[in-house]
Amino acid sequence: QVQLVESGGGLVQAGGSLRLSCAASGRTFSKHAMGWFRRAPGKEREFVARISWSGESTYYSDSVKGRATISRDNAKSTVYLQMNSLKPEDTAVYYCAKNSLAFTSGSSVPTGYDYWGQGTQVTVSS
């Protein structure tokens, strides 16, 4: 069983920054790609970023590319999402997820993930 716990969300002004963290339990963290998704009110869940199991490959949605950095610390079983130059349209609940397959670069669709955190709210004021 894997548990994912996000933290680091909050209220920030437009142009500000936040660093989201996702701490994972279990022994298989280092073998799996991890992803960040978000869901804004009234919208579908949206891919934000993913990082391969080794940390060597990262992928971003066009909406955050250049403003976000995903990273991982396998020794701490934690994945991070640094968000800069935040915009009001970044307001959403952010979720981390563990990719279901081991030793891959991950997936940009939710169905590729088998464990999800409870989410952390990010609110960007204009």
Side-chain angles (χ1 to χ4, degrees):
Q1 188 75 5
V2 174
Q3 288 189 325
L4 303 174
V5 180
E6 301 98 335
S7 61
L11 174 63
V12 63
Q13 288 188 333
S17 298
L18 280 176
R19 188 195 195 201
L20 307 183
S21 299
C22 171
S25 66
R27 299 182 178 182
T28 62
F29 175 84
S30 63
K31 300 179 182 179
H32 291 264
M34 298 294 293
W36 283 96
F37 290 77
R38 66 187 182 187
R39 176 173 284 164
K43 294 188 176 182
E44 296 290 321
R45 185 166 39 185
E46 173 190 24
F47 166 75
V48 176
R50 59 184 167 99
I51 185 167
S52 64
W53 69 279
S54 65
E56 292 181 351
S57 299
T58 57
Y59 302 86
Y60 300 91
S61 67
D62 288 342
S63 60
V64 304
K65 194 174 296 182
R67 301 187 297 119
T69 302
I70 187 171
S71 61
R72 67 189 298 159
D73 184 338
N74 285 344
K76 295 182 178 180
S77 296
T78 300
V79 62
Y80 305 96
L81 182 68
Q82 176 71 41
M83 295 282 292
N84 301 321
S85 302
L86 283 161
K87 306 175 181 179
E89 50 263 45
D90 293 319
T91 295
V93 178
Y94 284 71
Y95 301 89
C96 70
K98 169 188 156 294
N99 192 255
S100 58
L101 298 176
F103 305 119
T104 72
S105 60
S107 171
S108 300
V109 296
T111 52
Y113 297 82
D114 53 2
Y115 288 94
W116 294 79
Q118 82 290 348
T120 185
Q121 176 71 47
V122 172
T123 303
V124 184
S125 63
S126 57

